[in-house]
Amino acid sequence: MEDNKNKQMKILEIDPYLKPFESDINLRMESYTSCKKKLLGNRQSFGSFANGDLYYGFHLMRDGWIYREWAPGADALYLIGDFNSWNPETHPLLRQENGNWEIFLPGLQALKHMSYVKVRVVSKGVSRDRIPLYIKRTVQDPITHDFVGQIWQPDYNFKWQDSEFHVDNTKPLFIYEAHVGMAQEKEGMGTFNEFTENILPRVKAAGYNTIQLMAIMQHPYYASFGYQVSNFFAVSSWFGTPEELKALINTAHLMGISVLLDLVHSHSIKNIAEGINEFDGTDYQFFHTGIKGNHPAWGTKLFNYGKPEVLHFLLSNIKFWLEEYHFDGYRFDGVSSMLYHHQGLGVAFTDYSKYFSMDTDIEAITYLQFANDLIREVKSSAVTIAEDMSGMPGMCLPVSYGGIGFDYRLSMGVPDLWVKLLKELPDERWSMRQIWHELTSRRPQEKNIGYSESHDQALVGDKTIMFRLADKEMYFHMLKNDNNSIICRAVELHKLIRFITITLGGEGYLNFMGNEFGHPEWIDFPREGNNWSYHYARRQWSLMENKDLKFEYLSNFDKEMLILLKGYNVLSGNDLQSLWTDEEDQLLAFKKGGLIFLFNFNPTICFPQYELPTGETGEYKIIFNSDEFMFGGQSRILTDSIYHTKTLPHKGNQVGVTISTPSRTVIVLKKC
């Protein structure tokens, strides 16, 4: 027992600044241990515990159908649907132990594939027609337009062909974040089938090895971007059927691409008609009661992670998506909101005490530890990523060390850095020290996913990096033979920002679809305010494919950037070394992955004989630069020269090379 405790305290060895908070970490681990024993006993595993979907919901048996619900606060339940003409009298459920209800419908044809169902829940004299909690599919009734549950029992089983595919955890993730509905160029909602046919080949050709799919869990309001989930076990019917999602994932696996699910367990839609809120007639079945159960900014419901039945529901949901749909892991949405009773709103996490105050939700931390334990047990190669803006220490350390167990956290401060610089300072005043600090500062031994811009920045009211750099000039001056100075600056900085972010910002990398080629404008989902238009809820791939436009330059750069960094395994490099930081002239040089990177952020000055320290003697050659014609550059950099090291008198007599570095370019050198 003492050995386990010492192992748990390894987090203190990794990060000595946590030593004053040892008692707080002990409290977390005591919560983990006691709650785990309460849930599982001494022998049961998380994998055998998290099987709610195998018991609850609708199940076809040898001689009929069985349907079960968990509704402890209800007085009566009645199954209704088109199978019984929506008659609330004919199919009452029987109360079982522990708040469970059950009904058996004899005959294999008692319920049919694609038939509509709901359950009438009577509680404290109030009757409501609800969608079953574990329903696998919901659709809009074509007559009433209300969402209803749909029995999904096709007469065949999907044939998976991906048994040989496994995520290689030794290789960095290059993530292509995608939204199926807006992935097509048409002015309409894209489908799973269209994504499989049109987008997966693009992802493969672009060099990304992972897709992160947004908005897969059922959500009734399309414009919510998928973050107001109503039915946790149902595939979004906006995009197609469960089998079509399986075909998408199966095809991705056959291409060597892993697929992550954007998992929303931080909150749930407050809607009663479509969601799980007040299912049994109480406000505390799944959520905290009263004000504590409401997210003050999102208008959603907050789970009570201290309730065993809620843990059972959520953990079962995690296992379900891994096993039923072969997802390769998750990005956990809204982790900061989960970690704190104040949801992280209006709090500056300026010192360690902010992570260990009374405002920290230890029950939520315990749930996240359980979730990671379960995922490792069910699928050892699975990947988990935490969206946490607070920087919680130990987020990406093993639970056995005293951590929370994620593989990666998103480097959420990096997009904020670029937005701040682009909004507040002309690039001739950018600080190289600030950029270096923001991109390289992270928790010891914790892996990050670097990214230069988030999908939120693409939403209406905000701007992507390219649109912020170029703005309206994008509409008129993106032709390759147009030398508009604003567009030239935008193309140059877009390349530099993305390249320095991917090399320094993390051990993995993420890009939102279309940003790799500087997609113009914003995302505006169809809504009443835009007359339900899909014009801005799509991706204009034709811009990238048009050989006359500069979008192709950015696409070329992104593709070659990934080839270079994968070829030299730069993101996994543990040899990061700052070689020189020049604040006045705005140059930054460093070594990583055995390569030397020289960034010249200066907007006007080219240095024909710049002294570049290399850290060791030898001969060097240029293997990559952003000034190639194919990247929209001017081809000012000679790539066939061999550079010999010598003593650099203006760099403190360090050893290095003299090299020409044009303004707003990056050069990568390799030792011969």
Side-chain angles (χ1 to χ4, degrees), residues 74-124:
D75 298 317
L77 272 73
Y78 302 90
L79 179 61
I80 56 176
D82 51 16
F83 75 98
N84 67 357
S85 301
W86 303 96
N87 188 329
E89 309 265 327
T90 59
H91 290 77
L93 276 70
L94 299 177
R95 186 193 296 271
Q96 309 294 313
E97 295 180 347
N98 302 318
N100 294 324
W101 299 78
E102 178 178 299
I103 185 174
F104 178 74
L105 290 77
L108 300 182
Q109 296 300 311
L111 294 173
K112 295 182 179 180
H113 176 55
M114 298 183 68
S115 61
Y116 294 161
V117 291
K118 282 191 174 184
V119 57
R120 178 160 296 181
V121 181
V122 181
S123 178
K124 300 177 180 60

Side-chain angles (χ1 to χ4, degrees), residues 470-515:
D471 213 71
K472 66 181 185 299
E473 304 299 319
M474 290 187 76
Y475 297 120
F476 311 107
H477 298 288
M478 286 299 284
L479 284 169
K480 288 181 179 178
N481 60 7
D482 188 331
N483 291 319
N484 178 274
S485 61
I486 293 176
I487 294 299
C488 289
R489 171 183 179 267
V491 169
E492 290 168 352
L493 285 179
H494 191 270
K495 291 184 290 185
L496 291 188
I497 288 171
R498 295 175 71 80
F499 197 74
I500 199 168
T501 297
I502 194 173
T503 52
L504 292 179
E507 292 71 30
Y509 179 70
L510 178 141
N511 165 69
F512 180 68
M513 63 178 187
N515 286 351

